[in-house]
Amino acid sequence: MGKIKQDFKDKIVKAKNVDIVSFCEAVGYELIQEKGNGTQFRGVDHGSLVVFRETNTFRWFKEEVSGDAINFVKLFFDKSTNEAVNLLLETASNGEFKEVKEFKKSPREPFRYIYNHDKSTEQVESYLIDERRIHPTIVKTLIKKGLIRQSTYKGETDCLFVWGKSGKRVGVSVQGIVRNEEKYGFRGTKKRVGLNSEQDYGFNVSLGQPKNLYFFESPIDMLSYWSLHPELTDCRLIAMTGLQKKTVLNVLKHTLMSRTTQVYDINLAVDNDPAGQKFIDQFKDMGYEYAEGGALSFKPLIPDNNAIPKQNYEVYQQVAKEFQVPWELLASWHKAESNFDPEKGAANSMKVHTYFSVPASTKSKEKELLNLEPTVRQLAQDLVSVNENGKFTLEKLIKEDRGTNVPAFIDKVRNIYKEYHEGKFVVKEEVLKDWNDLQKRHNPEQNVTRIPTLPKVVQRVSANNQFFKNDRQQIVSVTKIEVSPDSTKKQYQAIMKDREKVIGHFEADSKEEMDKLIKVYGFEAMDKEDIRKYTSDETKKEKEAVISR
């Protein structure tokens, strides 16, 4: 018996060392090699599946699943452990990768900042401000501080988000700014972490003395949230580059040790999708109270997290009325299990799959879409069967398998139900996924046009002006100022108006520079100091012009 066990252990070791990429090539499972990184391969059927050849491991980011060669075969070929081991060894013996060698991890080298900066940051500013709609002041400030850079490598212009730690560069996030679906697949642009960037860390900005931490999936989401909340202070914003629990814990530790402060709220500002919801579940029971008072708590901060899709809401209402069950219970179960995912993705880390989701291991190549109304109807019918004197015994609706955490899932359903029952929800045609979606909706691209005719009251204020307006009817008037040749003053000034109210000011050396300022930075780039400086005088002139009219 001992020899049999040892033989099986040896087979396990050999199977784990079978090269996943070579195995996929042999059986026809399609992977595409990542451009610029010869050791990473991405799945064709599942775009968020990445195989790391250097470590012979994989990670399916959307489903938060990772593992070795055996796990890979079990998951994507629906095999038991014994079947996966035998398939790997059989395929290896028939292929060109018969000799399997145990992987020995080489020592990790320290991070080296090898990037060359462009003299200009114009393309990066245009990408972040015009396309991503990040607030211009934030972008310019981070460029000035050296946390955002523009770099060109092999003919491609990239935005660099530099990771700072105690005054040193310890890593970098590389974001391409030109879309190329043919080269970068479903993502569209280059997204990469610099070689040997510090593990369990990320792009971060501290505002004041951090008492609260905010964690985001990407630098763009982080800057979008900051743009939406410019009042943020005494906090630290961190981009994890994905969903990384270790990054949360490591940065928390670093903050407590490097700052003379206590941290109270850990805000998990992740995407509103199944993977983001499962990530939140991991922190459900974490947190602690400080001996001197106060507590550290982990809080979800997900965009549109309280939103219910309109088409779903109507189905819940209809079915609830028919079966005489609370619509909030139907909606909260759906939210807890799959986050309303139409492709039946699991959105809970409790491994509960009942009505609205299927395990990742059973997903087929073809997307399985949810048939909403009959599924909600089945749930309502089952709820009626577990209604005991007005109370629903929800546990009876879940089959306990290995690893299933039924009490935690039921607790999640009840918490969502309470929110819905108290009216803490909105019904929306479109539920937004991430903070950049929300920022774009809040600050849409502006269509800036010249005004051919001038408002009378403004004509009286200054002659020879040019006028621009945007979709919100805000007006910028540009005036040329006569200055002496040896003067250091700017020759052109622009006053921004919102109807009759002056709300900002630009200065430039030439008409071309002024046109570019307005085109690139729009109507949101006015400096607050200039607003205070110019508003009183201009308001006075406006009043005088109205009186003299």
Side-chain angles (χ1 to χ4, degrees), residues 120 122 511-522:
S120 169
E122 181 178 350
K511 174 183 174 297
E512 289 75 22
E513 182 183 357
M514 182 61 73
D515 285 347
K516 182 179 177 181
L517 284 172
I518 294 171
K519 180 180 178 181
V520 175
Y521 302 116

Side-chain angles (χ1 to χ4, degrees), residues 144-166:
K144 187 176 181 180
K145 290 182 176 294
L147 296 178
I148 293 179
R149 293 297 191 200
Q150 180 171 307
S151 176
T152 301
Y153 179 68
K154 291 186 177 180
E156 292 188 358
T157 300
D158 299 321
C159 176
L160 305 180
F161 297 100
V162 182
W163 304 4
K165 182 179 183 181
S166 303

Side-chain angles (χ1 to χ4, degrees), residues 10-45:
D10 292 341
K11 287 177 67 176
I12 290 284
V13 172
K14 290 180 180 179
K16 284 184 178 181
N17 289 320
V18 172
D19 180 52
I20 296 175
V21 175
S22 298
F23 169 81
C24 289
E25 290 173 351
V27 299
Y29 190 89
E30 194 171 359
L31 301 173
I32 296 177
Q33 189 171 15
E34 292 273 65
K35 297 289 184 181
N37 192 334
T39 64
Q40 290 187 14
F41 293 76
R42 189 170 291 272
V44 173
D45 295 327

Side-chain angles (χ1 to χ4, degrees), residues 450-518:
R450 292 181 186 272
I451 304 176
T453 57
L454 310 182
K456 287 183 180 179
V457 69
V458 181
Q459 279 181 308
R460 291 173 181 265
V461 174
S462 55
N464 301 318
N465 274 13
Q466 298 178 60
F467 291 83
F468 300 80
K469 72 176 178 180
N470 65 1
D471 297 333
R472 286 182 279 173
Q473 302 304 308
Q474 292 175 331
I475 298 172
V476 166
S477 62
V478 180
T479 306
K480 184 175 181 180
I481 307 299
E482 295 296 331
V483 297
S484 61
D486 58 345
S487 175
T488 58
K489 292 183 179 180
K490 302 287 185 179
Q491 293 185 350
Y492 286 80
Q493 291 182 349
I495 302 297
M496 178 167 67
K497 295 179 173 62
D498 190 349
R499 294 189 176 93
E500 299 302 324
K501 181 182 178 183
V502 176
I503 56 176
H505 185 270
F506 277 122
E507 291 182 344
D509 285 320
S510 67
K511 174 183 174 297
E512 289 75 22
E513 182 183 357
M514 182 61 73
D515 285 347
K516 182 179 177 181
L517 284 172
I518 294 171

